[in-house]
Amino acid sequence: MKTPVWVYDTDNNSIAFANEAGCAIWKAENEAELKARNLADGMSLTVAKRLRQYQADFHESDAEFSEFWTIYPNGEPVTVKIQYTGYVLPDGRMAMMCEVTGEREEEPETLRSTEALLHTDVMITLYSIEGAPLYMNPAARNALPANVSGFGDLFCQFEDFLHMQADWEARGASQRVARMSTSFGTKWFNLSVKRCLDAATGDSALLVTAVDVSELKTARDKARYLASRDQLTGCYNRSFMQLEQEKISANSEANGASHALLFLDVDRFKLVNDSFGHEVGDKILQTFALRMQTQIRQTDILARMGGDEFVVLIKDMKDQNSLHDTLDAIRSELLRPVDCGSIQLNVTASIGVAMFDSGAEGNWSETMKQADIALYHSKRSGRNRYTIFGKELGAEVLERSWLEVEIKKAIEKKTFTLHFQPRLDIKKGKVLSAETLLRWDHAERGFIPPDQFIPVCEEMGVIDELGAFVLKRACRQLGVWHRQGFDIDLSVNVSPKQFEDPDFVSLFENMAAEIDFPTSRLELEITETSLFGDDAEVSEKVRRINELGFRLALDDFGTGYSNLVHISRFPLKCIKMDKSFVQKLPMTGPLLKLILALANQIGATTVAEGVETHEQLNWLMSQGCDQVQGFLFSEAVSGDELANRCIEIERSLRKVA
């Protein structure tokens, strides 16, 4: 055969057989010399992949292919038309018979290929290995700067070019999304680079395809931003913070680097929301986020976890002094008044801090728990401060865990008890009422003060369940006293959540329907927070409770943001002044005088809580306060003791008189 023919061993990248004409076109002296050549040298990944695809097609069917190919005998390009068919080698492997059928001519496929290159929006460029452009299709010529001298000059970040260069030198190909300079400004491209040979010279070259993905990149970046950001404040969100902590935990190269995790809560945020509305609450959160961001470094992370909870991750702390400096700066910045349009509010925050190291043993949840314990300590210590978790709080963690378990047991087994603190009329010298107070006498620990377990109940979310228990037991006790002939009023605390319950009024309707239940003897103590919301709905609820014969008292007045102008809209029979004001007499005298005067204007009985000294009592009597309660007269006692204690108090008052 005078037609050049050879058999290509796809698996070994070599020629298994060639006739004399085949050796001649490959410029080989003989068949043995041609068979010894390694044709993989200089072969591009694209060509190798295509030859393997041919092999797979020959296995599946009796396929035949006819294409123009450029071969490189001794590095010199020769373009010929080749007929490809499958050929089974003696060892059973599939090879490929190649038969040259003619010189290059303009085939329809070639015309279509040229047309596609002309019209595609994909930029296709061939660069010399040194970097100069050898060929540009129209899309590339239109988009690339006219004076481009090399592929690397187009990259906005030269590091992207270096990464791709390392890839194609190591693997023969590279792919990356990078920002590049064009005639229309900077744009994002999905770049694909493959090493190949220049069909005109046989020299090494780079085939670059570039697809403009600027719109897609912008859309994805926006979606990524929205997925990782809090929409109200612009801070990072909980999901992003979780991913960030996973990176730090997995970063073994940064072992030993110390970081700080800050938990921050806005103090009394719910009261602010209820008093001034959610728009003001949102303004406070946005302001706090902006102010905190100015006090941390760009490498640190600020996230809003939800509600009024923020987390700050301070990376690579130098020492404890720098941590204290950062905490003091944040706290000082947050202490500035917040401008909420027509009003300015002084709002504070409590912070809990936990330290941890990169790559150290332990887990993120433990660090978060430590920060949470430190935050709880800050709140319990009076708010508006920060606490760093340390060994001294370790025991508190165990104590807190124990307390939570025991509270659940106590609620389940109903081992909480009720005690009652007498409330007396100053002018009459007579005990008229008693306040219901929750007590816990633990089987092992004994008496546990309310200020130790009540805040934990609130954080556990069981305070309303506990409140329902107290209300039910108190009403039962009032019924017992009534049947025994012990006539005394009884007040019971009602939480805002209980008051908001749609079935709240129904509970008292059922109670009032019971035979001989002394409805006029039961007083419900609600806080200022309960009176905020839908005025019409709250007014109707208050009206209905009064209509059933029950009375409402406003508890802890003066600790919130409300005023008597708002409160006067509701038929409240009693206002109780918070014990914190009474215990700071005479310093708080002007404020208490104002409360007493305003209460008198709306015809409400005034009660002073926490009276512990004769000086406090004398001041209150001189200002016309109606009723008092406190340790000066009696601590809270059990239901069985209350009647005798009332007799003792009245007897002692008569002696003094």
Side-chain angles (χ1 to χ4, degrees), residues 366-380:
E366 183 64 24
T367 303
M368 293 185 71
K369 187 172 184 179
Q370 291 175 356
D372 194 33
I373 291 293
L375 173 62
Y376 169 72
H377 188 273
S378 293
K379 286 185 173 294
R380 197 181 64 180

Side-chain angles (χ1 to χ4, degrees), residues 155-229:
F155 286 82
C156 295
Q157 298 291 332
F158 194 65
E159 291 81 0
D160 288 332
F161 171 75
L162 295 178
H163 280 297
M164 296 195 76
Q165 185 180 48
D167 280 348
W168 77 60
E169 288 180 350
R171 302 186 297 105
S174 181
Q175 189 166 1
R176 193 177 187 87
V177 174
R179 196 159 58 97
M180 304 185 73
S181 299
T182 73
S183 303
F184 312 107
T186 59
K187 287 182 173 292
W188 288 93
F189 290 93
N190 186 354
L191 298 170
S192 176
V193 179
K194 296 179 181 178
R195 290 196 65 162
C196 60
L197 296 174
D198 179 9
T201 65
D203 295 334
S204 293
L206 297 174
L207 179 64
V208 178
T209 58
V211 179
D212 187 347
V213 293
S214 299
E215 291 186 7
L216 179 61
K217 181 72 167 55
T218 301
R220 285 182 175 177
D221 287 348
K222 184 176 181 179
R224 190 178 295 112
Y225 177 89
L226 294 175
S228 64
R229 295 281 180 166

